[in-house]
Amino acid sequence: MTITHQRPTEALDLISRDLRALLIKDVRKDWPDLTDETGERGVNQMVAFLAAGTVTDSPLTPSLRVDLFWHRFLQRTVPYVAFSRSLGVDYIHHVPEDGAGADPEEGRAAMAATAAAIKAAGFEVDPEFWPGMGAADCSQCHAGCTDSPVNK
């Protein structure tokens, strides 16, 4: 499989203005007080998370806030598949971990590893969206789900 490595600005441009607005509108169904500005930042963090997952073999774990955006994006299968393919993979799978515990220490370690992978991929990490780095809620997703590791 060939992986197309996108520079961060190119990866962020893979989500059109119209799709961004639609995803923000969708996320507002779960987060009613979401502002447009915070929504834009949320889309950017979701893109950074998904793009970083295509350049590492380690599973990455979304924060609760990033996961809200990811779940809504997954429901829009046509643009989601096109986005995945534009990153050089057929599909970025959402992999729930059955029976995973809500161990806060494991959650912090998973968030730190994910933030490090996002930075290593050349993206900025917005502290409001990642526990331990700012104001984001602790992730239910370490109790949990991950992206699918990419076989290179």
Side-chain angles (χ1 to χ4, degrees):
M1 169 187 320
T2 302
I3 303 286
T4 304
H5 297 283
Q6 299 281 342
R7 288 188 307 228
T9 54
E10 291 171 337
L12 294 175
D13 290 341
L14 294 174
I15 305 282
S16 71
R17 182 178 306 276
D18 289 342
L19 180 55
R20 285 172 173 274
L22 193 55
L23 292 174
I24 292 166
K25 180 180 147 203
D26 289 348
V27 170
R28 277 197 181 105
K29 294 171 186 169
D30 300 312
W31 186 356
D33 58 344
L34 177 69
T35 66
D36 287 342
E37 188 266 336
T38 301
E40 282 288 328
R41 290 172 36 222
V43 170
N44 288 348
Q45 290 301 288
M46 176 197 66
V47 167
F49 165 75
L50 293 172
T54 68
V55 295
T56 181
D57 287 327
S58 300
L60 303 182
T61 302
S63 68
L64 175 60
R65 289 181 177 181
V66 170
D67 201 46
L68 286 173
F69 286 89
W70 190 14
H71 282 212
R72 291 302 184 165
F73 196 17
L74 282 162
Q75 293 174 339
R76 298 200 173 271
T77 58
V78 172
Y80 184 76
V81 169
F83 174 80
S84 296
R85 289 181 178 162
S86 70
L87 292 176
V89 297
D90 287 331
Y91 190 85
I92 302 168
H93 293 275
H94 184 283
V95 184
E97 295 177 357
D98 293 333
D103 181 337
E105 201 60 38
E106 275 185 39
R108 281 189 287 280
M111 290 297 105
T114 297
I118 290 169
K119 286 179 185 176
F123 293 92
E124 289 187 31
V125 174
D126 187 332
E128 187 175 343
F129 286 85
W130 298 96
M133 301 196 69
D137 297 329
C138 188
S139 174
Q140 103 294 352
C141 237
H142 193 268
C145 54
T146 62
D147 67 338
S148 56
V150 177
N151 297 323
K152 296 181 193 131

